Every structure is written in structure tokens, then in C-alpha cells.
Amino acid sequence: FAELANRHPQERVVVVSHGGLLSAFLRYLLDLAPLEPTPYRLHNASLSQVRFDHATQRWQAMLVGDTTHLAVP
């Protein structure tokens, strides 16, 4: 993912994925062991946002598993 971010500095990149890949990536970001319980839940159609800092070459989770866009008015 760092390679993708580095190819698009100062741009917004959208990645659509199944929960398994996203969960593995978030575990990496949060330094969680593969079987360690997560402090979040990824629901169907939830949104997660991560940001890449080009100076430090590190990712930061900004939003994880948000479903507010699915709320019925």
C-alpha cells in the first residue's frame, strides 16, 4: 500500500476491498497480532479511512468501520 501512496503524492486514492483484506491492513496499522481481538467492527458497507504520511512513510487510521451513512432518516 505504501507503493500506491507514493505513486500518488498529494492525491486522494480510493481502494474498495472486502473486509478480510481491510481487517488485515488495520491489524498491521494498529500492531495487533493475527488472533488478537480488535477494538473495532467492520460491518458490511462500512467506511474506513487511512492516511499516509510521506515524510515518515507511516499510515494512520482516521476512520474505522463507520456506518453513519447507512442510517435511516
Side-chain angles (χ1 to χ4, degrees), residues 1 13 26-27 39-40 63:
F1 286 107
V13 177
L26 290 170
R27 284 179 176 283
Y40 57 83
L63 181 70

Side-chain angles (χ1 to χ4, degrees), residues 46-67:
S46 67
L47 299 176
S48 297
Q49 180 182 9
V50 295
R51 182 166 291 163
F52 186 70
D53 184 328
H54 291 274
T56 63
Q57 295 290 294
R58 294 183 55 96
W59 291 95
Q60 180 180 9
M62 308 300 289
L63 181 70
V64 176
D66 182 66
T67 57

Side-chain angles (χ1 to χ4, degrees), residues 16-72:
V16 178
S17 172
H18 286 278
L21 178 62
L22 180 57
S23 184
F25 184 58
L26 290 170
R27 284 179 176 283
Y28 166 77
L29 290 184
L30 300 172
D31 198 27
L32 298 174
L35 298 178
E36 186 176 347
T38 60
Y40 57 83
R41 246 186 101 128
L42 297 176
H43 296 280
N44 288 342
S46 67
L47 299 176
S48 297
Q49 180 182 9
V50 295
R51 182 166 291 163
F52 186 70
D53 184 328
H54 291 274
T56 63
Q57 295 290 294
R58 294 183 55 96
W59 291 95
Q60 180 180 9
M62 308 300 289
L63 181 70
V64 176
D66 182 66
T67 57
T68 56
H69 63 287
L70 300 175
V72 177

